[in-house]
Amino acid sequence: MSKTYPQIDEALAAFIRAQKMFFVATAPLSGEGSVNVSPKGYDSLVLIDDHTVAWLDLGGSGAETLAHVRENGRITLMFCTFEGPANILRLYGQGRAVAFEDPGFAELKALFPTFDRARAIVVVTVTRISDSCGWGVPFYDYKGEREQLRRHVDHRPFDEWAKRRYEANAVSIDGLPALERPGAD
């Protein structure tokens, strides 16, 4: 039986912290655009208060989430158990992306002390919290984090890394603006 919650209470916070991965879903306003769902791992999510979460966007093969959040802010985070009692938790809300050279990034980045750099931090104001049974989610054993993404993000000198971020992440696959240099209009 699904249930909605008025806020992220301590029980929900403990559930969120216990998950080794979560999923982020966004979509453009256009019905012709691509819906995006991305898995996220590492210890890359923090609970700021009972209606606000933030996750560290290390980057990846595209910039759909950044583009969609910039365009319309709609975002859903989903957490599900792969061990123990079945459960799925969804946080619906409005997101805003703070890119690595934007004002305020350093203060948000301090919430993630074990990471050297990231493409952006997405802050989500949670407007709806609900769970569902999760009975269709199989059991999986957690074996550890893959280190390739962190190595990919951290191995280049900062200027080279930043240049590559702006070149590779300028637009989404649908042509929406994604990552722009501050002051570039």
Side-chain angles (χ1 to χ4, degrees):
M1 181 67 84
S2 72
K3 182 178 176 184
T4 59
Y5 300 87
Q7 64 196 29
I8 302 170
D9 61 21
E10 192 47 49
L12 293 175
F15 175 80
I16 290 168
R17 288 184 193 110
Q19 306 318 306
K20 301 297 186 196
M21 70 181 294
F22 62 98
F23 300 86
V24 175
T26 58
L29 291 176
S30 167
E32 302 298 314
S34 302
V35 174
N36 186 61
V37 179
S38 297
K40 304 298 176 190
Y42 301 118
D43 188 18
S44 62
L45 182 118
V46 296
L47 302 167
I48 296 175
D49 61 39
D50 62 5
H51 282 92
T52 313
V53 300
W55 62 271
L56 197 68
D57 176 20
L58 295 174
S61 56
E64 299 349 279
T65 301
L66 289 178
H68 297 162
V69 167
R70 286 191 55 189
E71 182 197 41
N72 62 61
R74 296 178 306 161
I75 190 166
T76 300
L77 280 61
M78 184 182 81
F79 305 83
C80 55
T81 58
F82 295 104
E83 54 190 25
N87 192 24
I88 295 172
L89 180 69
R90 290 180 180 87
L91 306 178
Y92 302 84
Q94 285 294 120
R96 68 179 173 89
V98 181
F100 65 96
E101 290 186 322
D102 287 348
F105 179 82
E107 292 81 6
L108 287 168
K109 169 68 181 61
L111 299 171
F112 305 91
T114 63
F115 292 87
D116 292 333
R117 64 175 76 140
R119 176 172 63 184
I121 296 170
V122 178
V123 179
V124 180
T125 301
V126 178
T127 57
R128 184 174 196 276
I129 304 162
S130 67
D131 67 7
S132 57
C133 68
W135 294 344
V137 177
F139 288 105
Y140 281 100
D141 292 325
Y142 177 74
K143 294 184 178 183
E145 299 288 354
R146 297 176 193 265
E147 292 300 320
Q148 291 95 325
L149 181 56
R150 286 189 79 159
R151 283 195 312 265
H152 176 74
V153 168
D154 294 338
H155 87 282
R156 290 190 173 120
F158 180 82
D159 290 343
E160 181 184 324
W161 172 83
K163 180 181 179 201
R164 175 76 177 120
R165 293 286 60 81
Y166 288 122
E167 290 170 356
N169 300 143
V171 296
S172 72
I173 59 175
D174 297 321
L176 294 173
L179 187 65
E180 295 180 342
R181 287 188 186 277
D185 288 328

